[in-house]
Amino acid sequence: MVISASRSPRGSRPAIEGPGFLARADLQVLFDLLREDGRRLIGPTVSDGSIIYDDITSVDQLPRGWGDEQSPGRYRLRRRGDERLFGYVVGPTAWKKWTFPALIPLTRSTHDGHKVSFEPEQATAPKLAFLGARACELAALGVQDRVLIGTEFIDPDYMVRRANVFVVAVQCTTSASTCFCTSMGTGPEVTEGFDLSLTELDAGFLVDAGTPAGRAVLERLPLRAATAAEQYGVAATVAAVRARIGDPVPTDGLHDRLLAQLDHPRWAQVAERCITCGNCTLACPTCFCTTLTQTTDLSGETALASRSWDSCFSPGFAKVAGGSFRARPRDRYRQWLTHKFATWWDQFGTSGCVGCGRCITWCPVGIDVRDELNAIAPPVPLSPESRLVEPVAATPNEFVTARVVNTKAETADTTTLTLTGVDPAFSHGSTGQFAMVALPGFPPLPISISRFLTDGIELTIRGAGPATKAMCALQVGDQVGLRGPLGNNWPLDRAVGRDLVIVTGGIGLAPLRPVLHAIVADRRRFGDVKLFYGARTPADLIYRDELERWGKRDGIDVSLTVDRAGPDWSGRVGIVTHLFDQAVWDGSNMIAFVCGPERMMQAASTTLAGRGVSASRIHVTLERHMECGIGLCGHCQMGKYFVCRDGPVFSIAQLGDTFGREGI
Amino acid sequence: MQDQASLVAVLNSTWFASGLEPGIQTRLAEFSRTFTAEPGQELFREGDESKLFGVVIKGRVALRTHVPERGDFTILTVEPGDVYGWSALVPPYRATSTAVAIEAVEAITFEGPALRAALREDAALAQALYPRVLVAVARRLNATRVQLLDLFAAEQVRTW
């Protein structure tokens, strides 16, 4: 926006560094400045027992002294006992009412004999100022920007309306029980998407500008510099709001967790409560679905096509001539929830939910989307197994060192090194990640981390070349150089509540060993766990003590096989896929982790697919030539991926027909 | 495991014989016998006449081959559901390996000459059984090829 600046604001008083303080009594000056600029002011006001957004002209129309109480299916105003103007949370109105109105004319058409003509309505928009937009609401405007004007085709009406809005944000100093902006990463701190921001204190406001337009207004307000105490007080208040909200919907892996649960029985259960009224979508600040309505005159010669908000909960929303694609309420609820929290990411690169809680408060039957998410796609407790940490010595020219405190010969050519004195980032690494391991004079090599300890890690190394042979020859007290932990992890969170099949061969058990440790540490969260492990000969089996313990004590169904054996071996001899190619399974609830030579992983994947495990739930870890480990050197490219950075763990569905193809 | 009905039921529980038509299962059961072996007991020896075709119900049978001066190698174990002694159906009816029970074994066996005669005379039986035998042998052939690749060797094995 442009403020008419007939006098230099800087000429009237010295510029204020940092946020300014505006006395509550002076807030009307802001109202007047914005109105002087030809803007209609939209802000909070009490109406019909709630705080809605509406046209206002005076500070006296703000909800002075009012707060709100919100819980699933419930909203009540209450007196705060103070003079706060913004002491409430968010009400039923969303700003999209002005940027994306519920009903707009779209096209006028006429029918004249054989001729038809169509005249688009010209998009017009009043100049508006939004007063009191919260952090979650700024995020919602950003989400609709992505959807409606952020792709190849734009919505001209939205574009014009949005360009004419000046946004005065208000940072939250209170929260409702329905808030979860903290989980969605949108609040309560106001960080972007505003022209001016206010944070309310007992006597007035801290004011900051987010754009040059906002700065121009700020400089015309009767401000004094905010004191350090005021700035500290605001930061502490907002921090308290964050702490009070907590993290009700852990979003780590939520996209995948949710999409893995399309058949969860809870969809049918929630649908028994849901009356498909669509209130959630109408109150939602990001929902953008619309429908067209034709209105004709009595002669039928002229018609107006209007666009109005629609809801994916409407019975006719997915209807075609043959019926509806989402006939049952459970289908419609699933569509809504999976779109908001999962497929929205795929389409628009952002979450469709901003955590404002309106769908919870304004649901007439009190369905709490947070409860549904946590029941359908339960979060995995944040543990070393489920979260990726920042690697140390990330760039290829630096290393941290670690000291060997134990060596264990697993087989004739394979040794497990226990390292301590390791940077804590390593202990907090995740299953399936690797370290770049270096000895002076040898090229650094990617080695899977085969165990995470509280103060160290283990690496299991097969001495195949000069560098790995040198590593296997390390003695207690020797040091190595490390970078990491690098790469992605096994999707253990997707295995929660499912049956897990682990298929591995040779030293391929090393990157899966931490998966088994994690399962054993929290066995009840997983269904049946089967480990199929093949080696060249009985002498080539690694972790023999642990294999026995996992099978005998830890409730893991361990099956071993070798390619050849002497007469003293009483176990199985044969290929690893024969351990399960005749099994009678319900593969629909299974997830599989596979690691071994690529030819073996291919055979295992084909066999698993034949047992009913879908390609998106068969995960493999790939080995490629790696030098940098962070996607810079280019060696490990496979199709569109760098194995080090995008992997090493991939689903078969991700890899498509590049998996197992020669010469890729 | 003695009466015919229970033999049919046991056969039907194996991947090898499950889903065969009831008439064929009954016919098979007519000349099948239950067989048990103690751990360590030799079932047949490489090169000998192959007299019994069997389906393992419980336990584990090792198929071994002898390499002079290197000793015995187990090249495959036969697990429940799988067959052994397929050479009893294919000329020259000589065992291609030595079979040793390495756990207590329960199996259902068929006399080679009797089964061959029945297969010659009964086209329906032959039509039902031969594809199963072929699947069992092909599965084993495939596995042998994968084992030949020696995928778990430390370095790429060059065979030429």
Side-chain angles (χ1 to χ4, degrees), chain A residues 204-547:
Chain A
F205 303 92
L206 246 56
V207 187
D208 221 336
T211 59
R215 169 64 55 185
V217 175
L218 181 143
E219 288 177 350
R220 296 170 66 194
L221 290 170
L223 302 181
R224 65 164 166 79
T227 65
E230 283 161 351
Q231 293 186 47
Y232 176 79
V234 159
T237 305
V238 178
V241 170
R242 167 172 287 279
R244 202 156 52 239
I245 298 173
D247 184 15
V249 183
T251 53
D252 268 16
L254 180 60
H255 171 280
D256 290 358
R257 277 189 271 133
L258 193 56
L259 291 184
Q261 298 295 347
L262 295 181
D263 301 319
H264 199 287
R266 181 87 176 201
W267 298 116
Q269 291 159 15
V270 66
E272 283 176 16
R273 298 169 60 207
C274 174
I275 57 174
T276 69
C277 66
N279 248 20
C280 48
T281 62
L282 297 178
C284 177
T286 69
C287 271
F288 62 89
C289 292
T290 53
T291 188
L292 290 182
T293 311
Q294 311 292 334
T295 320
T296 60
D297 65 4
L298 284 176
S299 70
E301 283 168 2
T302 66
L304 172 67
S306 306
R307 189 190 75 184
S308 59
W309 289 352
D310 200 354
S311 170
C312 52
F313 283 99
S314 311
F317 189 81
K319 200 171 165 190
V320 292
S324 172
F325 282 100
R326 292 193 283 270
R328 301 170 301 180
R330 73 173 77 164
D331 304 328
R332 306 209 279 275
Y333 191 86
R334 185 177 69 183
Q335 157 63 22
W336 178 69
L337 203 72
T338 53
H339 193 207
K340 283 288 167 200
F341 292 91
T343 51
W344 206 296
W345 279 105
D346 301 312
Q347 292 177 309
F348 304 113
T350 171
S351 166
C353 174
V354 296
C356 71
R358 284 184 177 86
C359 59
I360 303 169
T361 301
W362 299 99
C363 174
V365 297
I367 294 172
D368 189 331
V369 68
R370 300 166 297 183
D371 292 347
E372 298 311 312
L373 286 168
N374 289 336
I376 292 166
V380 176
L382 292 179
S383 62
E385 287 74 34
S386 62
R387 165 177 275 188
L388 296 180
V389 292
E390 286 282 315
V392 290
T395 53
N397 59 347
E398 43 181 359
F399 287 89
V400 293
T401 58
R403 193 167 43 86
V404 176
V405 287
N406 192 43
T407 67
K408 179 170 187 273
E410 301 284 353
T411 71
D413 62 1
T414 302
T415 299
T416 295
L417 303 176
T418 309
L419 307 177
T420 57
V422 174
D423 188 282
F426 282 96
S427 330
H428 295 109
S430 189
T431 65
Q433 288 197 291
F434 63 93
M436 293 301 293
V437 185
L439 288 174
F442 292 100
L445 294 177
I447 306 283
S448 297
I449 297 169
S450 65
R451 178 175 217 161
F452 294 93
L453 301 160
T454 48
D455 56 349
I457 53 170
E458 287 187 357
L459 304 172
T460 302
I461 302 166
R462 177 183 234 183
T468 47
K469 280 178 180 153
M471 290 171 197
C472 285
L474 288 172
Q475 299 295 313
V476 170
D478 289 344
Q479 283 193 320
V480 289
L482 295 176
R483 299 174 44 228
L486 298 168
N488 69 352
N489 53 356
W490 294 104
L492 248 191
D493 51 346
R494 290 190 61 191
V496 172
R498 288 186 182 278
D499 296 335
L500 174 63
V501 181
I502 296 172
V503 187
T504 172
I507 196 169
L509 182 55
L512 281 159
R513 185 181 179 219
V515 167
L516 288 151
H517 292 154
I519 291 168
V520 167
D522 210 351
R523 182 67 190 85
R524 283 172 307 161
R525 290 197 299 135
F526 303 88
D528 288 345
V529 180
K530 295 179 168 62
L531 169 64
F532 299 111
Y533 175 36
R536 194 178 191 216
T537 71
D540 292 309
L541 292 163
I542 60 175
Y543 311 138
R544 263 172 276 187
D545 299 346
E546 279 183 283
L547 286 168

Side-chain angles (χ1 to χ4, degrees), chain A residues 413 462 464 505-506 534-536 562-567 569-575 578 581-582 597 599-600, chain B residues 15 60 64 72-77 79 102-103 139-140 142-144 146-155 157:
Chain A
D413 62 1
R462 177 183 234 183
R536 194 178 191 216
V562 295
D563 274 349
R564 68 207 67 173
W569 170 250
S570 61
R572 287 187 72 148
V573 178
I575 61 174
H578 276 198
D581 71 340
Q582 304 293 348
R599 183 71 175 69
M600 177 231 121
Chain B
W15 71 261
R60 175 170 296 152
R64 290 180 181 159
D72 286 332
F73 285 87
T74 302
I75 47 172
L76 187 75
T77 53
E79 307 289 327
I102 49 179
E103 290 175 2
R139 176 172 179 264
R140 198 167 287 181
N142 260 327
T144 308
V146 174
Q147 282 169 281
L148 255 181
L149 296 175
D150 205 5
L151 292 171
F152 304 132
E155 286 166 70
V157 176

Side-chain angles (χ1 to χ4, degrees), chain A residues 3 10-11 18 34 53-54 63 78-79 86 119 153 170 204 210 223 251 297 372 376 395 448 456 469-470 507 550 556:
Chain A
I3 295 280
R10 286 182 189 278
L34 294 169
Y53 299 144
D54 206 348
R78 62 170 180 84
R79 279 284 175 197
F86 299 95
E119 196 61 38
F153 297 105
V170 165
L223 302 181
T251 53
D297 65 4
E372 298 311 312
I376 292 166
T395 53
S448 297
K469 280 178 180 153
I507 196 169
W550 291 331
I556 290 171

Side-chain angles (χ1 to χ4, degrees), chain A residues 19-61:
Chain A
F21 179 86
L22 180 72
R24 184 171 291 127
D26 290 331
L27 186 62
Q28 186 66 40
V29 177
L30 174 61
F31 278 47
D32 297 341
L33 277 175
L34 294 169
R35 280 160 52 77
E36 263 175 41
D37 192 41
R39 295 186 179 276
R40 264 169 61 196
L41 220 62
I42 315 290
T45 192
V46 173
S47 174
D48 294 335
S50 63
I51 293 169
I52 62 163
Y53 299 144
D54 206 348
D55 276 89
I56 55 172
T57 54
S58 155
V59 169
D60 295 336
Q61 290 167 282

